[in-house]
Amino acid sequence: MLAFFKQFKLFFIVLLVVSGIIISIFYSILKVEQPLPIYQPNRIDASLVDSTIQHKKKYHTIADFKLINQNGETITQDTYKGKIYVADFFFTTCQTICPIMTDQMHRIQEELKLDPEVLLLSHSVTPEIDSVAQLKQYAVEKGVNDNKWNLVTGDRKQIYDLARKSYLVVKDDNSEDYGMIHTENFALIDKDRQIRGIYNGISPTSIDSLLLDIKRLKKEYQ
């Protein structure tokens, strides 16, 4: 028997290598792409999460809201029902990271302008300054597509709660009037109001990842 295996040693080595290649090919063909994670408050930087929900491990979703956009229209969760969307927080008079974030959001708008399944939503963290007229002027200057991208203002407490209890992307400035220190973070929200990704809104590379993740997320609904 040993002599037999020695005689066909080369044959068995080749067979083993070929089998490995075939198995690898079949694995690649059949491999199912893993879904995007669902972000929960307890897994996010605590400085971005309200203390009342930092312990929450599951079932986190975006709360209902009622805000006003750049055209004076009421924007609610129904506006985004059945949609994937990207959300961020900014203010129109910001001269630091906001212009870069807006440019990157505009890039997403242009990349997906023909895709009705994806929308954008930018919340003002200075609603007392960012009136409807102010948002409209900003929208025109930045090339905002009204059918794709809402810039919203409204009640400060509601925006604060959305930022820290829903989207989990804004820091508390420790003032008594719901002050916010917005970050560069963009949040990817699925059709079930869940956070599926958080991205650096001033990094083109991170936005590349966001665009790829939107494609992955869409496959979950096919």
Side-chain angles (χ1 to χ4, degrees), residues 69-71 73 75 79-80 85-90 98-110 118-123 135-136 138-152 186:
N69 77 354
Q70 65 267 26
N71 296 314
E73 301 165 337
I75 301 299
T79 309
Y80 290 81
Y85 68 98
V86 180
D88 75 337
F89 289 76
F90 81 115
C98 292
I100 304 172
M101 293 169 63
T102 300
D103 287 345
Q104 292 300 324
M105 195 69 93
H106 184 271
R107 175 190 167 195
I108 298 169
Q109 170 188 275
E110 294 305 295
V118 183
L119 298 177
L120 310 178
L121 179 60
S122 294
H123 309 73
L135 289 178
K136 185 61 179 181
Y138 189 83
V140 171
E141 291 174 354
K142 301 300 182 179
V144 171
N145 179 342
D146 293 341
N147 295 318
K148 193 77 173 175
W149 183 3
N150 289 296
L151 313 181
V152 292
F186 287 5

Side-chain angles (χ1 to χ4, degrees), residues 6 43 73 86-87 91 97 102 120 134 145 162 198 203:
K6 286 183 177 180
R43 301 299 299 272
E73 301 165 337
V86 180
F91 60 105
I97 63 174
T102 300
L120 310 178
Q134 179 80 358
N145 179 342
L162 283 169
I198 296 178
S203 166

